[in-house]
Amino acid sequence: MKFAARQTFVGNTDYRLLPLRFRRLPWDQDRVLITSMSGDWLIAQRNDFERAVSGQLDSGESLFADMESRFLITADPGRSTLAPLLSQYRTRKDYLAEGPKLHIFVVSLRCHHTCAYCQVSRQAVGQTTFDMTESTARHAVDRLFDWPAKTLTIEFQGGEPLLRFDRVQQLTELIERRNRTEKRALRFVIASTLHDLTDEQLSFMREHGFELSTSLDGPEWLHNLNRPRPERDSYRRTLEGIERGRRVLGDGAVSALTTLTRRSLEVPKEIIDEYRKLGFHSISLRPLSPYGFARKTDARHGYTMGEFLKFYETALDHLLQINREGYFLEETYTRMLLSLLLTPFSHGYVDLRSPTGAGLGAVVYDYDGRVYPSDEARMLAAMGDHSFALGRVDESIETWMSSPGMQRVLDAGVAEALPTCADCAYVPLCGADPIDHYARQGDSIGHRPTSDFCRKQMGLFDALLRRWEQESSLDREILEGWALRATRREGVLEAA
Amino acid sequence: MSTIEVRLDAGVFSADIVTKAAHRYTDAYFVEIKSGTADFIVELTPKHVELDTSQVAKQLRNDALDEKLRAVVRSETQDIHAVLVEAALRQALPSKSGQGR
Amino acid sequence: MQPLEAKVHCEQWPASPLLKVAGLAEFAAGIFPPERMLLDLRDAQVRSAGSAICRLPWAGFLTDVPEHAPLDRPWIAVPPGAFKIGIGDVVELRPHTSKAALRYRRGSNNNILFTTERCNSYCLMCSQPPREVDDGWRVSHLCDLIELIDKNAPSLTVTGGEPTLLKENLRRIVLHCADVLPQTHLHVLSNGRAFGGGIPAHMFEGLHPFLTWGIPLYGDHYGLHDYVVQSAGAFSQTIRGLYALEAAKQQIEIRVVLVKPVVERLTELARFIYRNLPFVKHVALMGTEPIGFARAHYDDLWVDPTDMAPVLTKTVDFLSKRSMRVSLYNLPLCVLPEHLWSYSSKSISDWKQQYLPACEQCAIKERCGGFFAWATDKWTSRTIKPVRGALCAKH
């Protein structure tokens, strides 16, 4: 048997480019990040990349194999296959399959708090006209099961859903009864301050496997500052709620998020230390969004995305330090971004998807029977702008999907088709948020150079990529550990 | 608030490339593009006095070079991109007829 | 090293049968008909059962003393030597050449169903060099063999050559195993190329309760893989075959033989597997078997396992963090860093396995898979040495 040398199997090395995008590294202008259609990537010298683009790469170079292996180029079509690229792309966009999985039920707008950044447009505790009626609830449950998803996450929100807990109970029971024939996998989440939790409420929640998501903005002085109650004891009540929730439902069932105000940005370490002190292993550092009361109070509580990114770097340094000391504490958004960079998988967060998650990944059933593709669309409606309303719970889901509101979402909902996004190296990992752009810039397509959404996303991706390159191997392991855990988790949680 | 002027050779860069490159600066600058005899003149006027403008000319040139490269990539891959996305999604999405009620 | 075939004394055999060696337990269990069995007269229990048992319609008798066999009945006697036949084994007898071959050995760690000598690849290190022969006769032989294998056999490996060249007959064999040996795990070693076009992988969907496929992948791009398997287009077909098998809900293991060109891009291969084939259940990293084609390509293939340690560590670490099971096959423990020992298993088939003189003093010999019987000095690591001293209680 005569054996052929390696050279024989090289085939036709007149390679062609596959769809790719690139970005000069902000910390090293001589090198570029190159991403494939599906978000696989490598970093190369810019002049080598330029040679690659102009067809001058030699098949013997390791960069040739590296680019082939990531489907940035393809050589002999008779010997190569693009099946893996298609498979990666489908895997990355896996959230498209099956339709919306996250269903948010706003049972009441009433709340005890008067948070300046509230995006809900809360109502006073006594105003029961802002509660969901039984008729709305029943219709909403019918619509819920019109969707095909095999897994449904039902999230109760408000205002404060505990103020109308009977409706929460009723919805849960209606859903579970219907599910006996439907046989979907169900997840129940309640986004609540956890104030004044009763034993009966806890017992019900345990019986139905609820997860609790609450707001904890940081140490007591900060939390109470951000989240005023007339009694001025929000922090104490929140802690009590967390404690009791953990006791009855288990530690893993209770999670917390921050909302960051201008004051919060000054104390990243204190916020994180508070979470550690309370035994949390997960923290969400959420910047403000321009909705509801947050918009009105922007001057006092707002900050630029640049300021947020500075805060974030300090926070991440501190988190890594804590993890190095042996205490596991991850930041949830960071974990998701890292999973995008380091794994081929899609994720459960509806707010960073292309096509957008609004309406396609999540649906919001408001207390008054109106339906929206996202929380933000609901916020806009509460502020008087119904551009993104889908319809009412007593209409069919087909009506919603063909509504003008949904059309507006879809028209600007594919990041790969948006100006500037189309050429961005991060676009396979990023998302479109037409409603956010509409709210901030007045136009759902948006202007990327002045877009806070873009600034945040690029800032975070750049920050994480730089750390991935430059950080110590221990820190890289910590970050990698967060990313790899992510592939076994799902879902997005919001808090009151 | 002095305007920075950057000249880009029209023989090397097309109007489209210059526009795309300059567009990136519309957050921090007022941008105007003028046609000279043999080049494009990009005028950048800082919106805020505190802006550090020392690197912006170099960055704009780099961006123009990058846009040129992107144009090459685009011309080579535009068609196959649409074909691949369509092929990938066709295999992924189940038919939705008869779902639910 | 134990021979699987040898010359025997035999008489009165009308044909070339496949025979199950029976003791009293096999007789009592009544699973296999006596017509397909060889009663083992060497066994003390059998002899103590008396002469009546011999009157059953056994195919023949196994004996050390031909005179003990009943008159006018076929018998086999195994001459003294390395070749051994035991109760529960399945023997193929070829009377015209007086040869017996073991087709199944009870208790062996590697019983195979050998499907064909043909193959559509020509791997540089192939340990079973293909021959272009018409050996379709093997299919019915294998079906007969399957019927004589112990029901509690834990596993069988379907191998060759390339089993998918049997096409629909491979399905027939797998189905027969599902029917006759429903508890036995079946592992098919295939290059998967046929599923990339030609054979629908769906024909195996739901066919067998414990079926896995072991498919080699040698590189993250066609230039490397096609070179190692000496076949243009192989990479493309194998990759497409892998997706077809996944769509048919098959369990897949990727096998990687650690020859030099492969080791040079091993971490890239692991990355490629994770990004593109995350459904793979297991990755086997395997030391080269120095037999067959491998011997002719020493210079292109050999890399001392000791020198692989950093790359193996990185690769094992990468895959196991991503919840992909990894195993190290055919590598003795003394050439591996201790933190990799738990990934190693005693993978070399017992009949072709040996230990070296240095192993006598080794404290962990029992855990170690040792060496191939045909390993020569140049195919053996320079750092073979006994492991001494106390070991961590966990191991």
Side-chain angles (χ1 to χ4, degrees):
Chain A
M1 198 51 240
K2 186 98 194 318
F3 285 89
R6 186 117 178 213
Q7 217 21 57
T8 323
F9 296 97
V10 155
N12 182 355
T13 55
D14 279 344
Y15 63 93
R16 63 173 297 181
L17 300 178
L18 288 170
L20 60 82
R21 301 171 174 96
F22 69 95
R23 171 172 173 68
R24 273 190 212 245
L25 301 182
W27 59 94
D28 181 357
Q29 298 278 308
D30 291 331
R31 288 188 301 141
V32 289
L33 167 73
I34 311 160
T35 57
S36 78
M37 193 175 101
S38 62
D40 203 351
W41 55 271
L42 60 71
I43 290 174
Q45 293 295 324
R46 195 192 175 286
N47 51 21
D48 287 333
F49 173 63
E50 185 152 6
R51 279 193 306 117
V53 170
S54 30
Q56 289 160 24
L57 214 53
D58 182 80
S59 65
E61 300 181 55
S62 65
L63 183 59
F64 191 98
D66 290 342
M67 289 185 78
E68 252 192 302
S69 158
R70 287 160 180 75
F71 300 94
L72 298 168
I73 63 175
T74 182
D76 194 327
R79 298 166 192 243
S80 54
T81 170
L82 297 182
L85 177 59
L86 297 182
S87 172
Q88 275 193 40
Y89 189 78
R90 281 195 299 275
T91 300
R92 187 73 77 187
K93 302 285 184 189
D94 188 46
Y95 45 64
L96 283 179
E98 295 194 356
K101 293 192 173 87
L102 175 62
H103 298 267
I104 296 174
F105 290 73
V106 181
V107 296
S108 171
L109 291 189
R110 295 184 286 131
C111 186
H112 339 71
H113 287 70
T114 51
C115 308
Y117 56 60
C118 180
Q119 53 185 45
V120 170
S121 312
R122 68 198 170 260
Q123 298 296 332
V125 168
Q127 297 271 34
T128 54
T129 46
F130 294 94
D131 293 356
M132 183 181 273
T133 62
E134 173 163 347
S135 161
T136 297
R138 286 184 181 279
H139 278 299
V141 172
D142 286 342
R143 297 293 84 74
L144 172 69
F145 285 101
D146 285 343
W147 297 106
K150 296 201 196 75
T151 304
L152 297 169
T153 298
I154 293 111
E155 190 169 308
F156 297 108
Q157 279 189 21
E160 172 50 69
L162 290 181
L163 288 174
R164 200 57 221 251
F165 196 72
D166 61 326
R167 190 67 68 222
V168 172
Q169 284 174 290
Q170 186 190 34
L171 281 162
T172 306
E173 279 154 1
L174 283 171
I175 289 168
E176 284 190 340
R177 192 177 321 144
R178 176 74 189 268
N179 199 45
R180 275 185 231 139
T181 40
E182 293 278 346
K183 302 205 195 317
R184 320 280 182 100
L186 300 177
R187 239 184 106 197
F188 291 103
V189 184
I190 186 163
S192 161
T193 59
L194 302 185
H195 291 191
D196 309 322
L197 261 181
T198 67
D199 288 334
E200 294 74 30
Q201 289 168 341
L202 278 169
S203 160
F204 180 86
M205 292 195 278
R206 182 186 52 208
E207 196 187 316
H208 298 274
F210 271 51
E211 294 163 52
L212 310 183
S213 171
T214 193
S215 271
L216 180 68
D217 279 10
E220 180 161 18
W221 62 267
L222 178 63
H223 182 95
N224 287 343
L225 185 66
N226 281 355
R227 304 176 66 84
R229 272 187 73 126
E231 308 86 340
R232 311 170 92 129
D233 59 354
S234 178
Y235 175 86
R236 185 187 61 74
R237 290 177 190 256
T238 294
L239 247 58
E240 204 181 290
I242 290 171
E243 166 70 14
R244 294 177 64 214
R246 282 174 168 170
R247 216 181 314 128
V248 177
L249 305 175
D251 280 5
V254 183
S255 63
L257 323 157
T258 69
T259 302
L260 301 168
T261 57
R262 168 169 287 285
R263 191 72 182 92
S264 309
L265 288 201
E266 294 164 18
V267 288
K269 294 186 186 175
E270 287 82 340
I271 296 171
I272 291 167
D273 287 341
E274 178 70 22
Y275 271 69
R276 181 189 187 167
K277 186 181 97 192
L278 295 175
F280 283 105
H281 293 286
S282 193
I283 181 172
S284 283
L285 297 169
R286 284 192 313 173
L288 283 177
S289 46
Y291 303 102
F293 294 109
R295 194 178 229 186
K296 295 187 187 163
T297 59
D298 189 58
R300 221 178 334 123
H301 297 281
Y303 41 85
T304 66
M305 210 35 90
E307 288 167 322
F308 167 74
L309 290 169
K310 263 189 81 192
F311 160 88
Y312 178 82
E313 292 280 8
T314 309
L316 193 50
D317 281 336
H318 193 57
L319 281 167
L320 287 170
Q321 171 63 28
I322 288 173
N323 280 271
R324 261 180 257 131
E325 287 165 8
Y327 184 88
F328 181 86
L329 181 55
E330 65 176 12
E331 200 281 320
T332 55
Y333 202 71
T334 307
R335 182 236 296 151
M336 178 197 54
L337 296 177
L338 286 167
S339 80
L340 287 165
L341 283 168
L342 302 178
T343 84
F345 302 113
S346 70
H347 58 84
Y349 284 81
V350 296
D351 43 7
L352 195 69
R353 292 187 180 174
S354 175
T356 182
L360 301 177
V363 178
V364 179
Y365 310 88
D366 207 355
Y367 77 97
D368 61 0
R370 292 209 178 93
V371 181
Y372 302 92
S374 74
D375 238 3
E376 289 74 21
R378 175 173 76 102
M379 299 307 96
L380 279 172
M383 282 152 53
D385 186 336
H386 296 265
S387 303
F388 297 99
L390 298 182
R392 302 195 46 86
V393 284
D394 52 0
E395 294 166 338
S396 71
I397 64 176
E398 287 79 16
T399 308
W400 300 347
M401 290 293 104
S402 48
S403 65
M406 195 62 210
Q407 202 50 53
R408 279 184 206 105
V409 168
L410 293 173
D411 283 347
V414 179
E416 287 87 344
L418 297 174
T420 315
C421 291
D423 293 328
C424 180
Y426 292 124
V427 80
L429 308 177
C430 198
D433 198 337
I435 299 170
D436 183 283
H437 281 101
Y438 178 90
R440 289 186 204 256
Q441 299 184 317
D443 158 38
S444 59
I445 287 178
H447 177 251
R448 229 63 56 210
T450 49
S451 159
D452 268 354
F453 176 88
C454 179
R455 181 113 197 252
K456 176 179 110 177
Q457 286 309 124
M458 291 198 77
L460 293 175
F461 275 126
D462 280 345
L464 292 173
L465 202 59
R466 185 186 58 76
R467 283 169 188 271
W468 182 251
E469 272 225 312
Q470 297 177 343
E471 221 84 292
S472 68
S473 61
L474 180 52
D475 282 353
R476 279 174 57 124
E477 269 200 49
I478 292 167
L479 295 173
E480 186 184 64
W482 295 1
L484 297 180
R485 268 167 61 105
T487 63
R488 295 191 280 280
R489 296 179 54 162
E490 261 218 355
V492 65
L493 300 176
E494 295 288 331
Chain B
M1 295 280 215
S2 54
T3 297
I4 297 149
E5 205 184 79
V6 185
R7 286 175 178 265
L8 295 168
D9 187 338
V12 175
F13 303 103
S14 70
D16 193 46
I17 285 171
V18 173
T19 308
K20 274 202 154 93
H23 179 73
R24 288 167 189 279
Y25 295 84
T26 54
D27 57 339
Y29 297 85
F30 298 106
V31 178
E32 249 198 87
I33 304 172
K34 301 192 168 123
S35 265
T37 37
D39 49 20
F40 293 100
I41 303 152
V42 181
E43 293 181 351
L44 302 167
T45 309
K47 288 182 180 173
H48 304 288
V49 118
E50 325 79 54
L51 213 58
D52 171 14
T53 59
S54 57
Q55 298 296 306
V56 74
K58 175 172 164 228
Q59 277 168 348
L60 180 57
R61 274 184 218 289
N62 275 349
D63 282 341
L65 288 167
D66 288 349
E67 285 306 326
K68 203 167 141 74
L69 214 49
R70 285 190 185 102
V72 174
V73 172
R74 216 175 293 126
S75 71
E76 258 200 62
T77 62
Q78 206 146 263
D79 296 338
I80 194 182
H81 188 198
V83 167
L84 288 172
V85 170
E86 200 261 340
L89 294 182
R90 193 194 331 128
Q91 290 168 337
L93 294 176
S95 90
K96 282 244 172 75
S97 59
Q99 294 283 9
R101 272 198 311 188
Chain C
M1 162 116 175
Q2 305 153 37
L4 294 181
E5 198 176 295
K7 261 187 136 59
V8 294
H9 304 304
C10 62
E11 286 211 2
Q12 311 208 42
W13 290 95
S16 295
L18 204 56
L19 304 161
K20 180 80 168 172
V21 180
L24 277 190
E26 285 66 32
F27 160 63
I31 297 171
F32 312 103
E35 290 86 345
R36 299 178 72 174
M37 295 214 278
L38 200 59
L39 185 61
D40 191 348
L41 296 177
R42 305 166 309 176
D43 182 74
Q45 283 195 315
V46 169
R47 281 203 305 278
S48 67
S51 58
I53 190 178
C54 293
R55 277 188 236 120
L56 287 163
W58 305 103
F61 299 89
L62 186 59
T63 177
D64 287 331
V65 184
E67 292 71 34
H68 287 172
L71 214 51
D72 297 332
R73 301 284 294 278
W75 54 266
I76 300 173
V78 181
F83 182 66
K84 303 266 182 277
I85 300 179
I87 289 177
D89 291 352
V90 178
V91 177
E92 182 186 340
L93 182 66
R94 295 196 291 282
H96 51 285
T97 53
S98 290
K99 277 213 171 131
L102 284 167
R103 296 301 180 210
Y104 168 77
R105 284 170 312 125
R106 177 179 287 179
S108 162
N109 70 347
N110 188 21
N111 280 301
I112 67 167
L113 299 178
F114 187 84
T115 56
T116 176
E117 284 192 82
R118 292 175 299 135
C119 191
N120 51 358
S121 291
Y122 299 95
C123 304
L124 291 174
M125 64 291 183
C126 182
S127 56
Q128 180 73 46
R131 286 202 309 145
E132 199 52 44
V133 288
D134 182 2
D135 55 359
W137 52 266
R138 295 183 186 272
V139 178
S140 56
H141 253 239
L142 286 178
C143 288
D144 290 344
L145 171 59
I146 287 162
E147 286 156 18
L148 295 177
I149 289 174
D150 294 330
K151 306 296 175 197
N152 62 1
S155 66
L156 292 171
T157 305
V158 178
T159 180
E162 174 49 52
T164 57
L165 293 179
L166 267 55
K167 299 189 195 167
E168 162 63 36
N169 278 324
L170 178 59
R171 182 183 190 278
R172 186 176 144 199
I173 287 168
V174 171
L175 185 58
H176 204 47
C177 286
D179 288 342
V180 172
L181 299 169
Q183 309 289 335
T184 303
H185 178 259
L186 206 61
H187 191 54
V188 181
L189 300 184
S190 164
N191 57 36
R193 292 172 64 181
F195 299 118
I199 301 192
H202 281 290
M203 72 159 112
F204 292 96
E205 191 167 348
L207 198 63
H208 189 291
F210 308 109
L211 178 63
T212 57
W213 298 80
I215 299 189
L217 195 62
Y218 297 121
D220 60 336
H221 59 286
Y222 72 74
L224 176 53
H225 179 91
D226 287 359
Y227 162 62
V228 174
V229 310
Q230 292 281 300
S231 185
F235 177 76
S236 172
Q237 289 165 8
T238 292
I239 293 290
R240 284 183 280 121
L242 285 164
Y243 287 119
L245 285 167
E246 196 237 343
K249 302 196 179 31
Q250 298 301 298
Q251 304 288 302
I252 299 164
E253 162 194 278
I254 296 285
R255 290 163 80 89
V256 186
V257 179
L258 299 167
V259 293
K260 186 156 63 179
V262 173
V263 174
E264 281 164 3
R265 267 190 93 86
L266 189 62
T267 54
E268 284 83 354
L269 175 59
R271 203 202 70 89
F272 181 88
I273 292 170
Y274 177 64
R275 281 272 171 177
N276 297 293
L277 308 164
F279 48 82
V280 159
K281 291 290 183 289
H282 181 224
V283 176
L285 305 174
M286 309 170 52
T288 311
E289 186 172 353
I291 193 99
F293 288 159
R295 290 230 256 241
H297 300 115
Y298 176 81
D299 291 319
D300 295 308
L301 300 179
W302 172 252
V303 57
D304 193 324
T306 270
D307 297 328
M308 291 185 209
V311 139
L312 287 179
T313 298
K314 250 183 102 182
T315 303
V316 167
D317 184 60
F318 178 88
L319 291 170
S320 53
K321 275 201 183 124
R322 285 151 181 77
S323 307
M324 228 174 242
R325 274 195 318 119
V326 199
S327 296
L328 297 167
Y329 290 167
N330 311 341
L331 295 169
L333 296 176
C334 55
V335 306
L336 295 173
E338 191 171 339
H339 61 265
L340 292 183
W341 288 358
S342 59
Y343 297 95
S344 174
S345 53
K346 294 171 76 163
S347 52
I348 301 177
S349 310
D350 43 16
W351 62 272
K352 55 181 177 180
Q353 185 271 354
Q354 63 163 339
Y355 290 105
L356 297 179
C359 303
E360 291 318 301
Q361 303 301 320
C362 183
I364 54 171
K365 180 176 160 193
E366 283 318 300
R367 284 178 56 194
C368 179
F371 304 85
F372 285 103
W374 24 74
T376 57
D377 283 345
K378 67 179 190 174
W379 287 97
T380 304
S381 172
R382 65 186 188 277
T383 63
I384 298 298
K385 64 184 179 305
V387 172
R388 296 189 202 283
L391 292 159
C392 162
K394 267 201 288 181
H395 301 107

